[in-house]
Amino acid sequence: MRTGPPTARTVLTGAVTGQARHVVTSAALNAAHQGGEALIPVLIGVVIDRAVGQGGPVDLLLWIGVVAVMFAALSTGFRYGARSGERAAEQAAHQLRIGVARRVLDDRGGAEHRHLPGALASIATSDAERVGMVNLALAAGTGALAGLLVGGTALLVVSIPLGLLVLVGAPLLLWLAQLLGRPLEHRSSTEQEHAAYASGLAADLVAGLRVLKGLGAAPAAADRYRLASRHSLAATVRAARARAWHDGILLVATGLFVAAVGLLGGRLATQGEISVGQLVAAVGLALFLLGPLSTVSWVNAEFAQGRASAARIATVLGAPPATTGGADHPADPVRGQLALYDVRHGTLRGVSLHAAPGELLGIVAPDPVTAADLLRCLAREVDPEAGRIDLDGVPLATLDPGRLRAAILVAPHEADLFEGSLLDNVTAAASAPAAVAPALAAADVAEVARALPDGVRTRLAERGRSLSGGQRQRVALARALAAGTPVLVLHDPTTAVDAATEARIADGVRRLRRGSTTLLVTTSPALLAVTDRVVLLEAGVVRADGRHPDLLRDDTGYRTAVLT
């Protein structure tokens, strides 16, 4: 049976049903606790009428003991009910975080569409927490309704007019809470969207701060973030104002309702229709009702915010994949024969080329957009609009994305480093422990290590920002080389290193990758000099194909692209 994409309702339903046992336990204990609390005023009224008014000291001590046992039972029930509710909320939020993270990391991609990284982080944390709170609110709401029902019934026993007032007034208050929750839900959704956008924008600006400063664009970027922050603040203020109106109106309505119950009880007592103990019970019940009614107000607000956050989570979980299909396995072993047949995507206008198994192929794309489109197709972040790409004669579109990425690694030009030591970054992707040392040597990381206080075990700042651009490139290159994939695609891996270092790295890459297919997408003469063959992409098609020295001598366009 096919199901449609997730909606806010299905996300909420899944969060509740996934923790049904804990939610039911918490709801039952909350209901018992609230029902028991509703009976406390009645019990005190009985004590006044029977022990104080008619009985003696023994009767008074006996009923005080009964009240003490009642309070002990209520305290125990509340404690375990709250524990079950909190557990249901936290576990639901945790499962939603895992679900969002799994969707974002899915090999087929697509979840990042129209979402900044910071926005995805906000959805996986803040929104997941709000949806998880629905479980706690559901259990608390069940207890509040039980308290209202027991309190109304007790008032009905004490006095039919008092009971009818509660049984009629409570549903009206619930309807008012639902009505007031609609604008709160809308403004809460807007608040989360603006906050997530501002967070994502801040993360992107911090990541590219050096580039922005180099371009002199830091003031413009700061103005952009300032505007986003102001919009987020305005949305937060509007949501807070809606919450204040929601809570304030319900508080006033609840107070008026309880006052009406107290006034009617007092009048009945003065007319002799109820006893002193019953009057105390009625007033106590009226005051007790403040708790369940305020809980109903809180629950309604949590539901409104939970629905808004669930809708945002649903947009991520229901995002269509960037690539579809594909369940086959690559050949075993992977030979590394890569072929493109009339590939058309973006600026690619019919690219046809091949790389033989074990070949070191250079690809020169003067237009950075053309290089980016080619890399996205090779990494299968997208499927070409037309044409196909084969690995060992098997179309990439038919291969399982996860297994494909184990066969073809596309290392982008801008590669972030992980938190941890320099060595941790390289070993994290290593195919085997023995692959680490050769990868470090090929990428000339020894020079980087000598400049660090603890060598390769030096801990790096976030994203490796404590290293220079050239140092980061060498560590990222070593990480890619250590992976040892049958096909490796490197995009401009040495743009921030000096010429002498670049020449050493070029020799190291050729030596380490001998026998494995490697594509170097670059315009670097030093790297292209060690390739077996070079392909020139211009205007989205292959315009030249040959050895680097020959193209450099005979092709003006190639010479211009490489030497200028």
Side-chain angles (χ1 to χ4, degrees):
M1 178 179 177
R2 296 185 60 186
T3 59
T7 63
R9 177 171 294 183
T10 57
V11 170
L12 284 172
T13 302
V16 174
T17 56
Q19 299 297 318
R21 181 168 64 89
H22 298 301
V23 173
V24 170
T25 300
S26 180
L29 290 173
N30 271 287
H33 172 263
Q34 289 289 314
E37 277 202 333
L39 294 177
I40 290 294
V42 177
L43 185 59
I44 292 175
V46 171
V47 171
I48 292 174
D49 282 342
R50 296 190 179 181
V52 177
Q54 301 175 7
V58 177
D59 294 323
L60 182 59
L61 290 175
L62 176 63
W63 282 106
I64 288 176
V66 172
V67 172
V69 171
M70 189 75 168
F71 271 110
L74 290 176
S75 176
T76 303
F78 174 78
R79 182 173 303 175
Y80 284 99
R83 179 182 298 177
S84 296
E86 291 286 353
R87 183 173 184 177
E90 292 300 327
Q91 288 192 346
H94 172 70
Q95 290 174 357
L96 286 171
R97 284 192 291 271
I98 295 298
V100 171
R102 184 178 291 116
R103 179 64 190 89
V104 171
L105 297 175
D106 192 297
D107 290 320
R108 301 178 191 277
E112 70 281 2
H113 180 59
R114 295 171 60 186
H115 288 103
L116 291 172
L120 290 172
S122 176
I123 291 172
T125 52
S126 178
D127 285 311
E129 183 178 355
R130 284 188 171 184
V131 174
M133 283 297 294
V134 169
N135 281 336
L136 183 60
L138 183 61
T142 302
L145 291 177
L148 290 173
L149 181 61
V150 173
T153 302
L155 279 173
L156 200 59
V157 172
V158 172
S159 169
I160 292 179
L162 285 174
L164 290 176
L165 177 61
V166 172
L167 295 177
V168 172
L172 290 177
L173 283 175
L174 294 177
W175 172 81
L176 178 61
Q178 178 67 23
L179 191 65
L180 293 172
R182 293 173 184 172
L184 177 60
E185 177 180 353
H186 171 71
R187 293 189 178 184
S188 176
S189 176
T190 304
E191 174 198 10
Q192 288 292 91
E193 289 176 2
H194 282 285
Y197 177 75
S199 175
L201 185 60
D204 286 355
L205 292 179
V206 171
L209 189 58
R210 291 188 178 182
V211 176
L212 291 170
K213 287 183 176 180
L215 296 173
D223 290 341
R224 183 184 176 193
Y225 174 72
R226 190 177 295 111
L227 180 62
S229 181
R230 286 174 179 171
H231 288 165
S232 177
L233 176 60
T236 301
V237 170
R238 286 193 296 270
R241 188 179 293 120
R243 181 67 182 258
W245 277 104
H246 174 277
D247 293 350
I249 293 175
L250 284 182
L251 183 61
V252 171
T254 301
L256 292 175
F257 174 64
V258 173
V261 173
L263 288 173
L264 179 58
R267 181 178 179 182
L268 293 174
T270 58
Q271 293 175 350
E273 297 183 19
I274 57 176
S275 66
V276 174
Q278 289 174 325
L279 174 61
V280 172
V283 173
L285 284 169
L287 294 174
F288 160 77
L289 291 175
L290 282 172
L293 289 172
S294 63
T295 299
V296 168
S297 172
W298 173 79
V299 167
N300 186 70
E302 291 297 321
F303 279 176
Q305 293 182 332
R307 285 192 297 268
S309 290
R312 286 166 49 75
I313 293 175
T315 62
V316 175
L317 298 181
T323 57
T324 57
D328 295 342
H329 294 192
D332 187 16
V334 177
R335 296 175 55 242
Q337 179 177 320
L338 196 64
L340 284 72
Y341 299 99
D342 195 27
V343 172
R344 299 174 182 270
H345 186 84
T347 59
L348 304 179
R349 294 289 180 262
V351 174
S352 295
L353 59 87
H354 73 278
E359 183 177 18
L360 180 57
L361 177 66
I363 299 178
V364 176
D367 184 357
V369 178
T370 299
D373 289 337
L374 176 64
L375 292 169
R376 293 183 68 203
C377 291
L378 291 174
R380 209 186 168 215
E381 294 177 5
V382 295
D383 287 324
E385 298 164 3
R388 77 175 197 271
I389 305 175
D390 288 0
L391 174 63
D392 293 338
V394 181
L396 298 192
T398 67
L399 297 176
D400 176 78
R403 296 182 181 275
L404 170 62
R405 285 171 175 76
I408 301 177
L409 173 61
V410 177
H413 171 61
E414 291 290 342
D416 289 325
L417 300 182
F418 308 132
E419 186 176 353
S421 71
L422 185 155
L423 185 61
D424 291 338
N425 272 271
V426 179
T427 57
S431 57
V436 175
L440 291 171
D444 199 29
V445 178
E447 183 181 354
V448 178
R450 285 194 295 270
L452 300 176
D454 297 319
V456 294
R457 301 193 180 279
T458 301
R459 295 193 66 83
L460 307 180
E462 183 183 4
R463 296 188 178 183
R465 298 301 174 186
S466 55
L467 302 179
S468 68
Q471 291 173 329
R472 284 201 304 274
Q473 278 192 333
R474 280 182 272 180
V475 175
L477 175 59
R479 182 174 63 192
L481 293 171
T485 52
V487 179
L488 176 62
V489 183
L490 298 173
H491 180 213
D492 279 334
T494 57
T495 55
V497 301
D498 60 82
T501 303
E502 189 175 30
R504 290 197 300 272
I505 290 175
D507 289 336
V509 170
R510 179 171 181 80
R511 185 171 55 254
L512 184 62
R513 292 293 298 175
R514 183 174 288 112
S516 299
T517 306
T518 307
L519 275 62
L520 287 173
V521 183
T522 184
T523 57
S524 164
L527 292 176
L528 295 171
V530 301
T531 60
D532 299 317
R533 185 167 54 92
V534 182
V535 171
L536 173 63
L537 295 183
E538 278 190 346
V541 297
V542 175
R543 205 190 61 77
D545 186 340
R547 295 179 65 251
H548 171 67
D550 298 336
L551 292 175
L552 202 60
R553 182 187 64 244
D554 302 330
D555 194 302
T556 304
Y558 180 81
R559 188 163 53 247
T560 301
V562 171
L563 298 182
T564 59

